Every structure is written in structure tokens, then in C-alpha cells.
Amino acid sequence: MNPSSHTYDIAITMGDPAGIGPEIICRALAAMSSAERASSLVVGDPAIYRRAASTIGAELTFEPLDQKSPDDDSVAVAVVEVPEGVEIPDGRISAGGGDMAFRCVRSAVELVQAGRARVIVTAPLNKAALHEAGHHYDGHTGMLAALTGAPSSFMLLASETLSTLHVSTHVSLRGAIERVTESRITETVEAGHAHLVAMGIARPRIAVAGLNPHCGEGGIFGDEDDRIIAPAVRALRDRGYDVQGPISADTVFYRAHRGEFDLVVAQYHDQGHIPVKLIAFDTTVNVSLGLPVQRTSVDHGTAFDIAWQGRADATNMGAAIAYARRLAAGNDQASES
């Protein structure tokens, strides 16, 4: 097989190399079977990956993507090197770390667009470092939207018993309220429905959370639920979607956790993040929807305080990789049908 023609199931980006990304990637690689490693590539600086493997005591070898033989057990690397003279201090915010995180994601997008990889898995970046490097994005999701030219994107937090999709994410609470519109709610439900169908749920059951306490209590606590959310839900039901709402946020997540719904559409960041992280902090997967590329991610930060000490837990990275493999398998089935 020509190495330059091989398509990998997943491309894992390094994240900010000052954080725990390289370590948790190496832990996940070490836990893989040979077949799983053969279907995975990593993006970043091979020297950093070798150092991370040594830090955690893993016997891993790394080969540049276009030089790797499919017959060996080394890990393929799409090489993105730290520029000469650039220092990235361990466990600290730096422009160099932010720029490396950006360049690795950009490389992964190019790999997917070129047909070299199916799904991107991202290790954590630091937004302050990203901005210090001159890349002014709200995080991975906004960056991916810009790199792919997507008009919008959506953040899904997926766990075994509760999954939430957000109308808005990294904006102020005041800004989040302004983004609650009929069109945005409609687009969010459509994106969630399409994703769940692709994951094998024939008729997804979707709940839309209310914005105000008790959905506004008939206008006493605000009229957005009656004026904006309810009409959007009615229109979606008229189009055949199995969707309910608005449902008060103090009950809807409990009902979904018990199995009544496959997905909850949350109106803003904390409304959706808090319940999911409460019940599945270590295994929740961050999934980007509405983009021309597919991406999963860990749902935690760079953990600068424990970086490069061999202490980082790779449970969440393992969950993100497992979800990405499900997406890649779905891609294969779709292409065969």
C-alpha cells in the first residue's frame, strides 16, 4: 500500500503542547490494539509526542505520515513542528502553545478535506494562548467553522444517558439571550436530529429546554418561551420532528436522563454543560455539528497545573476517540449504501 493513499479513521490533534494533550493522547495510543493504532494518526511535533510517551512510560514510536509503513506498529504523524526559536514553557500560557494548537487543527482539517482522515479528535487548547497567538476564536468549534467556511456550528455534549445540544455556547449570558431566535432553535434541532439519525436512531426524541424559570410562567418571568421557543417547536412538529418544548430546565434534564428523550436542546452554555458534566464528567464527549468535517473532543481543559507530570487521566480522550470511531464507521456505511 502506498502510505500517501491510506485513509485513517481518526486524526488526533495535539492541542496546546504546554498542557496535558500530548500525555493523554499517548496514554490513549498505548491502550489501543495494533489495528486501532494503524487506523489512527496524530497531528503535531514528533519530538513532543516522544517526550510525552517517555513521561508516561509508554513504548511508542512515531513516524512521519508519508514515510510510515502500514506493516509496522509505529504511530503515523502529520508533522507540525514547533518553529525554531519558539519556546513553549510547560504548564503556562504562551503564544507558541496557542499557535501550535491552531496549526495542528488547521492541518487536521486539510487532511480530512484531502481524504486522508475521516474524523478529527482534538486535545484541549487554551483560549488565552490562542488569542495571544493572534487567533481570535471562541474555541475549537468557532475555529473549525472559520477554517471550513461553515456559516454556523453547534456544540453537542454526548454521554451515555444524557446529551445536550446548545443554541449558543461561548458568549455572555446577555448575548446568549439575544441568540434565542426561532431560526437558530430550528437549525439546532435540525442539526441534532440529523446527527442522531446518522448515529442509528431512526426517530430521535428531542426536548427543547425553556429559557426562563418555569418557561416564563405565562410571561411573569419573561416572554421569550411563549413568543419565540414555542412557535419554533410547533413549526418543527408540523414538519414531522418528534420534538417537545419548551420544557422547564429544572425538569427536562432529569426526564432525559431517565430515558424519555434522546437529546435536550439547551438555550445557552451553562444550562447544558452543568447537568451533563455532573453525571458524566469523565466520559462526556464534545462533538461539533453543522460543519463539513466531523470532530469530537475531550470535554476538559489543558490542566496546566498537572501537565508534564505523568498524572493526566486519559479516560475522556478514550471516550472521544471511541465516539469518533463510531462516526467513522457511520461514514463507511453511508458510502456503501
Coordinates of all heavy atoms in Angstrom, one line a residue, residues 16-19 23 48 51 55 87-94 303-309:
D16 N -2.8 22.3 22.9 CA -1.7 23.1 23.4 C -0.6 22.2 24.0 O -0.9 21.6 25.0 CB -2.2 24.2 24.4 CG -1.2 25.2 24.7 OD1 0.0 24.9 24.9 OD2 -1.5 26.4 24.8
P17 N 0.6 22.2 23.4 CA 1.6 21.3 24.0 C 2.1 21.6 25.4 O 2.8 20.8 26.0 CB 2.7 21.4 22.9 CG 2.5 22.7 22.2 CD 1.0 22.9 22.2
A18 N 1.7 22.8 25.9 CA 2.1 23.1 27.3 C 1.2 22.4 28.3 O 1.4 22.3 29.5 CB 2.0 24.6 27.5
G19 N 0.0 21.9 27.8 CA -0.9 21.2 28.6 C -0.8 19.7 28.6 O 0.2 19.1 28.2
E23 N 0.2 14.0 26.6 CA 0.2 12.9 27.5 C -1.1 12.0 27.4 O -1.0 10.8 27.3 CB 0.3 13.4 28.9 CG 1.6 14.1 29.3 CD 1.5 14.7 30.7 OE1 1.6 14.0 31.7 OE2 1.3 15.9 30.7
I48 N 7.7 16.2 20.5 CA 6.8 16.4 21.7 C 6.1 15.1 22.0 O 5.9 14.7 23.2 CB 5.8 17.5 21.5 CG1 6.5 18.8 21.3 CG2 4.8 17.6 22.6 CD1 5.6 20.0 21.0
R51 N 8.5 12.8 23.8 CA 8.7 13.2 25.2 C 7.5 12.8 26.0 O 7.7 12.3 27.2 CB 8.9 14.7 25.2 CG 9.1 15.2 26.6 CD 9.1 16.7 26.7 NE 9.1 17.2 28.1 CZ 8.6 18.3 28.5 NH1 8.1 19.2 27.7 NH2 8.7 18.6 29.8
T55 N 7.4 10.4 29.3 CA 6.9 10.9 30.5 C 5.9 9.9 31.2 O 5.9 9.7 32.4 CB 6.1 12.2 30.3 OG1 7.1 13.2 29.8 CG2 5.5 12.8 31.6
E87 N 9.7 29.1 22.1 CA 9.7 28.4 23.4 C 8.2 28.2 23.8 O 7.5 29.2 23.8 CB 10.5 29.1 24.4 CG 12.0 29.1 24.1 CD 12.8 29.6 25.3 OE1 12.2 29.9 26.4 OE2 14.0 29.8 25.2
I88 N 7.9 27.0 24.3 CA 6.6 26.7 24.8 C 6.8 26.2 26.2 O 7.0 25.0 26.4 CB 5.8 25.7 24.0 CG1 5.7 26.3 22.5 CG2 4.4 25.5 24.5 CD1 5.0 25.3 21.6
P89 N 6.8 27.0 27.3 CA 7.0 26.5 28.6 C 5.9 25.6 29.1 O 4.7 25.9 28.9 CB 7.1 27.8 29.4 CG 6.3 28.8 28.6 CD 6.5 28.5 27.2
D90 N 6.3 24.6 29.8 CA 5.3 23.6 30.3 C 4.4 24.3 31.3 O 4.8 25.1 32.1 CB 6.0 22.5 31.1 CG 6.9 21.6 30.2 OD1 6.7 21.7 28.9 OD2 7.7 20.8 30.7
G91 N 3.1 24.0 31.1 CA 2.1 24.5 32.1 C 1.9 25.9 32.2 O 1.4 26.5 33.2
R92 N 2.2 26.7 31.1 CA 2.0 28.1 31.1 C 1.4 28.6 29.8 O 1.6 27.9 28.7 CB 3.3 28.8 31.3 CG 3.8 28.7 32.7 CD 5.3 29.2 32.8 NE 5.4 30.5 32.3 CZ 6.6 31.1 32.1 NH1 7.7 30.5 32.4 NH2 6.7 32.4 31.6
I93 N 0.6 29.7 29.8 CA 0.1 30.3 28.6 C 1.2 30.9 27.8 O 2.0 31.6 28.3 CB -1.0 31.3 29.0 CG1 -2.2 30.7 29.7 CG2 -1.4 32.1 27.8 CD1 -3.2 31.7 30.2
S94 N 1.2 30.6 26.5 CA 2.2 31.2 25.6 C 1.6 31.3 24.2 O 0.8 30.5 23.8 CB 3.5 30.4 25.6 OG 3.3 29.1 24.9
A303 N -5.4 21.7 31.7 CA -4.9 21.3 33.0 C -3.4 21.6 33.2 O -2.6 20.7 33.5 CB -5.2 19.8 33.2
F304 N -3.1 22.9 33.0 CA -1.7 23.3 33.1 C -1.1 22.9 34.4 O 0.1 22.7 34.5 CB -1.6 24.8 32.9 CG -1.7 25.3 31.5 CD1 -2.1 26.6 31.2 CD2 -1.4 24.4 30.4 CE1 -2.2 27.0 29.9 CE2 -1.4 24.9 29.1 CZ -1.9 26.2 28.8
D305 N -1.9 22.9 35.5 CA -1.3 22.6 36.8 C -0.7 21.2 37.0 O 0.1 21.0 37.9 CB -2.4 22.9 37.9 CG -3.6 22.0 37.7 OD1 -4.0 21.8 36.5 OD2 -4.2 21.6 38.7
I306 N -1.2 20.3 36.2 CA -0.6 18.9 36.3 C 0.1 18.4 35.0 O 0.5 17.3 34.9 CB -1.7 17.9 36.6 CG1 -2.8 17.8 35.5 CG2 -2.3 18.2 38.0 CD1 -3.7 16.6 35.7
A307 N 0.3 19.4 34.1 CA 0.9 19.0 32.8 C 2.3 18.5 32.9 O 3.1 19.1 33.7 CB 0.8 20.1 31.8
W308 N 2.7 17.5 32.1 CA 4.1 17.0 32.1 C 4.6 16.5 33.4 O 5.7 16.5 33.7 CB 5.0 18.1 31.5 CG 4.7 18.4 30.1 CD1 4.0 19.5 29.6 CD2 4.9 17.6 28.9 NE1 3.8 19.4 28.2 CE2 4.4 18.2 27.8 CE3 5.6 16.3 28.8 CZ2 4.5 17.7 26.5 CZ3 5.7 15.8 27.5 CH2 5.1 16.5 26.4
Q309 N 3.6 15.9 34.2 CA 4.0 15.3 35.4 C 3.6 13.8 35.4 O 3.8 13.1 36.4 CB 3.3 15.9 36.6 CG 3.6 17.4 36.8 CD 2.8 18.1 37.8 OE1 2.4 17.5 38.8 NE2 2.5 19.4 37.7

